[in-house]
């Protein structure tokens, strides 16, 4: 299993609003991808400008296939337009 934690910090309230819309769409599509165990989007309760996506995949092959989907290629760059994004990958 592979786990991914994507941390995002938005610059403005408007960026936060747009980020939520993009991330919500990304989650909706990604949950249908083969091998997706979980794909959750969170907003910090203590800092309104901070967000996270926490993913779990059955295999690296499934994660790679996810990164080649149309929705990934379209939506992930959008996240970077509205926030500073960092990604951590873990083997579970």
């Amino acid at each position: 299993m592979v786990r991914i934690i994507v941390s995002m910090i938005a610059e403005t309230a408007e960026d936060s609003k747009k980020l939520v819309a993009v991330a919500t769409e990304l989650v909706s599509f990604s949950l249908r991808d083969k091998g997706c165990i979980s794909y959750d989007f969170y907003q910090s309760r203590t800092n309104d400008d901070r967000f996270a996506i926490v993913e779990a995949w059955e295999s690296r092959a499934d994660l790679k296939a996810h990164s080649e989907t149309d929705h990934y290629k379209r939506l992930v760059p959008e996240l970077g337009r509205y926030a500073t994004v960092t990604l951590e990958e873990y083997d579970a």
Side-chain angles (χ1 to χ4, degrees), residues 8-32:
M8 298 165 282
I9 301 173
E11 291 289 322
T12 67
E14 185 63 26
D15 286 345
S16 291
K17 183 178 176 181
K18 291 176 181 177
L19 179 72
V20 168
V22 171
T24 300
E25 184 178 359
L26 179 61
V27 169
S28 176
F29 281 111
S30 298
L31 285 169
R32 298 180 217 154

Side-chain angles (χ1 to χ4, degrees), residues 55-83:
E55 313 167 33
W57 295 91
E58 289 184 17
S59 69
R60 290 201 175 279
D62 291 329
L63 176 60
K64 183 176 184 324
H66 164 66
S67 71
E68 295 170 353
T69 62
D70 290 339
H71 57 269
Y72 182 96
K73 290 178 181 178
R74 178 174 55 88
L75 296 169
V76 169
E78 288 292 304
L79 296 176
R81 287 185 59 198
Y82 303 120

